[in-house]
Amino acid sequence: MRNQKLKGQKSKIEIRFWKKILYGFSGPLKNRWLFTPFLLLFTFLTVGCRQDMAEQPRYDPLEASTFFADGQSARPLPPGTVARGYLREDTELYTGKSGKDFTNTFPFPVTRTVLERGQERYNIFCSPCHDRTGSGNGMIVRRGYTPPPSFHQDRLREAPVGYFFDVITNGFGAMPDYAAQIPPRDRWAIVAYIRALQLSQHATLEDVPAEERAKLSR
Amino acid sequence: MPQIFHRSTNTLSKLSIFGAVFILVVFVWVLMQINRSEYVTQANVVRVQPVQFSHEHHVNGLGIDCRYCHTTVEESSFAGIPPTKTCMNCHSQIWANSPYLEPVRESWRTGRAIQWTRVHNLADFVYFNHSIHVNKGIGCVTCHGRVDQMPLTWQQKSLQMEWCLECHRQPERFIRPREYVFSMDWQPPADQIALGQKLVREYNIPDVAFLTSCSTCHR
């Protein structure tokens, strides 16, 4: 009789069960035994569904775009734009010319660091065709590219440094330009290194410091 | 009242408790392995590219330096993918009629960029920067593998957080002298740890606490 259930009325056991569940969420802190597992379950069921954090609504560098007609997210500069710090006032530094003629002086002092930088950049960008000594027999030439002239011929030994800068910047005949790949200061460093290469192929014993000469003649 | 279960089932029930724990552990282990698998990380999977560009030919065969094409790798977070102009430096003359290179020539004629398929792609909530690693003596090969032996490019490492941390916890195990960063065949010496510790000091590499702090990579 005691546990008999009337229509529409919950049994005591049932009530105790629901009370316990409710208590598990809302009782004093140490009694909230259900809270943590429930939170865990909730988290597990709701995480990892969307990748919005991994693919945020911004472009990575060079990412394709469906918005612009040419499909590129990077926009070309409108003609005449000058970015901050890119106003090329120093014509000698950026064109290798003073007035109409090529300059024969470097726009900044050539130190050992500049020469080493030049050597590194020369080996990266020029040696595939001009080879590491500048004689013009690089790997790409051996695979069929037009052979460039040697840097050690008199015409190029006497050419002003501004001329080399101009060839790198604008190309020359079959030689492509490297303006996009090499920033102006590095171009000057390369020119300084080409000068060093030219010297190296025409050095005499007199160019060697006296105390080092003995080593060479051995 | 007769017993429903025989006494021996006691052992069984004890075993099944152990079994449940075991199954759970195996389940978690399997999940972890799936998460590390190449299926999820896409490591060692070759991507289809619009042009059959081969690092093996260009780097190993011709000896071209990484920086000839990936020009910004030393100064910027992004290594850079070469524009069509860079290919045309040589391919205006070399293999100028080859059908392999038709997409390059078409891009050159029309001015539309070649659409390379990305090989590496970190989640956007991770900040990665090439210049800091390259300038502090971490070689390309440490993170990208022997690119010079890849006929088509693939990703060698998982690029998961544990992989980044493996090095950030002990940079001395992987660091090399700066002049060999671009070298593909540099071998660590027998006393790599001693050399590494010396370089870590020389290059002023911050301490492990900083390198493994969450906000270093998740900023």
Side-chain angles (χ1 to χ4, degrees), chain A residues 53-56 58 60-62 69-70 72 120-121 124-125 139-140 143 145-146 174 176-178 181, chain B residues 61-62 65 67-68 71 74-75 78 81 85-86 89-90 92-94 112-113 115 118 121 123-125:
Chain A
M53 288 295 279
E55 277 146 46
Q56 294 165 17
R58 59 169 166 81
D60 286 345
L62 302 188
D70 64 356
Q72 286 173 311
E120 187 186 77
R121 298 293 123 173
I124 297 170
F125 292 107
M139 202 62 181
I140 309 302
R143 298 298 164 100
Y145 206 90
T146 313
D177 75 84
Y178 278 81
Q181 276 156 283
Chain B
L62 303 169
D65 193 283
R67 289 164 287 182
Y68 187 97
T71 46
E74 287 171 301
E75 295 102 40
F78 183 63
I81 296 294
K85 160 76 173 64
T86 303
N89 280 353
C90 298
S92 58
Q93 291 195 13
I94 298 218
R112 290 188 74 89
Q115 294 215 359
R118 269 203 91 131
N121 200 357
D124 285 355
F125 54 76

Side-chain angles (χ1 to χ4, degrees), chain A residues 36-52:
Chain A
T36 317
F38 192 80
L39 196 71
L40 276 181
L41 186 74
F42 182 79
T43 319
F44 269 116
L45 289 180
T46 50
V47 293
C49 304
R50 299 182 53 176
Q51 291 296 312
D52 291 0

Side-chain angles (χ1 to χ4, degrees), chain A residues 166-210:
Chain A
D166 184 69
V167 172
I168 306 178
T169 312
N170 301 314
F172 175 86
M175 153 134 180
D177 75 84
Y178 278 81
Q181 276 156 283
I182 313 175
R185 280 182 170 270
D186 282 352
R187 283 176 230 160
W188 282 114
I190 290 176
V191 176
Y193 181 65
I194 292 180
R195 275 285 182 254
L197 277 181
Q198 289 175 332
L199 274 181
S200 75
Q201 299 289 313
H202 287 80
T204 57
L205 203 59
E206 275 70 57
D207 296 327
V208 181

Side-chain angles (χ1 to χ4, degrees), chain B residues 3-4 42 88 103-104 109 126 130 145 152 156 168 177 183 191:
Chain B
Q3 281 186 324
I4 302 177
Q42 291 286 299
M88 290 308 280
V104 178
R109 278 196 306 269
V126 185
H130 270 99
L152 277 175
Q156 185 99 42
H168 277 207
S183 153
D191 57 343

